[in-house]
Amino acid sequence: MVPFASVVCVNIGMFPLTPPPTPPFEGMHVLLVHFPVALLMVAPVFMFLAMVLPIRLRWCSFSAVMLLVLGTAGLFAATATGIAARDVVEEGSDEMFAVLAEHEQLAGVVRIVFSIVTVLYGLFVLLPIVIRRWITASYLVPVQLVFLIVLMASNLLLANTAHLGGRLVHQYGVHAVMAETSSSEQ
């Protein structure tokens, strides 16, 4: 029987311990776009928890704000790399370019909507710190519910934008620009 430690050491040698090559800026879209989508899709869970137990789970609203801030910042990075990725697409059908234009337009709307929602929700969460008498369930629950509904509608916009991006990749074969690989990797 082979000792466990020697099996682990042998198997570790099969995996590369260096980072992969960094793609060019226009190839970063595929890496960056999934993070804001995930963060923004998880934020309603924390909003819901903050609404169910508004005083006890008030920290959930702060978590939701952080998810919104990070996700919205990620939208700006994803949009910048998406524009760069669009600029290198040279061939495709008219239908593909129509989907690309719709994806880009909807991404701009999503970025604006989430910027507004993030600022307003941040104010809602921070104002009760200044105005202590607002830390009541009668204030927090209805406002939390309104923001939850607005965020769910915003996430529908985000999901439609992501769906269009998925169509570009899976239906029309639009792919990101890859990094140059060294001869030893080929």
Side-chain angles (χ1 to χ4, degrees):
M1 178 175 266
V2 178
F4 177 74
S6 64
V7 172
V8 171
C9 291
V10 171
N11 287 338
I12 288 177
M14 296 184 327
F15 299 108
L17 295 177
T18 59
T22 305
F25 185 72
E26 57 273 6
M28 296 290 282
H29 184 66
V30 118
L31 297 173
L32 294 179
V33 74
H34 297 96
F35 292 106
V37 171
L39 294 172
L40 295 170
M41 291 290 184
V42 171
V45 172
F46 286 90
M47 276 189 186
F48 178 76
L49 291 172
M51 183 184 71
V52 172
L53 294 170
I55 307 301
R56 189 165 228 215
L57 293 181
R58 195 148 183 275
W59 64 269
C60 287
S61 58
F62 292 103
S63 298
V65 168
M66 288 309 301
L67 290 169
L68 287 172
V69 167
L70 293 171
T72 303
L75 288 176
F76 281 86
T79 302
T81 56
I83 290 169
R86 175 215 53 206
D87 290 343
V88 298
V89 175
E90 296 173 355
E91 297 178 7
S93 66
D94 290 341
E95 185 180 344
M96 186 272 301
F97 280 107
V99 171
L100 181 63
E102 188 178 356
H103 176 64
E104 182 179 359
Q105 182 181 14
L106 200 51
V109 170
V110 165
R111 193 175 63 186
I112 291 167
V113 165
F114 273 101
S115 295
I116 292 168
V117 169
T118 299
V119 168
L120 292 177
Y121 188 69
L123 288 173
F124 158 71
V125 170
L126 295 177
L127 275 177
I129 293 172
V130 177
I131 306 169
R132 293 289 217 194
R133 63 189 161 139
W134 286 2
I135 303 178
T136 63
S138 62
Y139 168 73
L140 296 173
V141 171
V143 178
Q144 215 48 282
L145 178 62
V146 168
F147 273 108
L148 185 59
I149 292 167
V150 168
L151 185 58
M152 295 304 286
S154 302
N155 276 341
L156 284 175
L157 282 173
L158 180 63
N160 282 314
T161 306
H163 174 72
L164 290 172
R167 282 186 62 198
L168 289 169
V169 171
H170 298 290
Q171 185 177 350
Y172 298 107
V174 177
H175 296 289
V177 177
M178 300 299 290
E180 295 292 324
T181 58
S182 65
S183 59
S184 65
E185 292 179 29
Q186 294 176 354

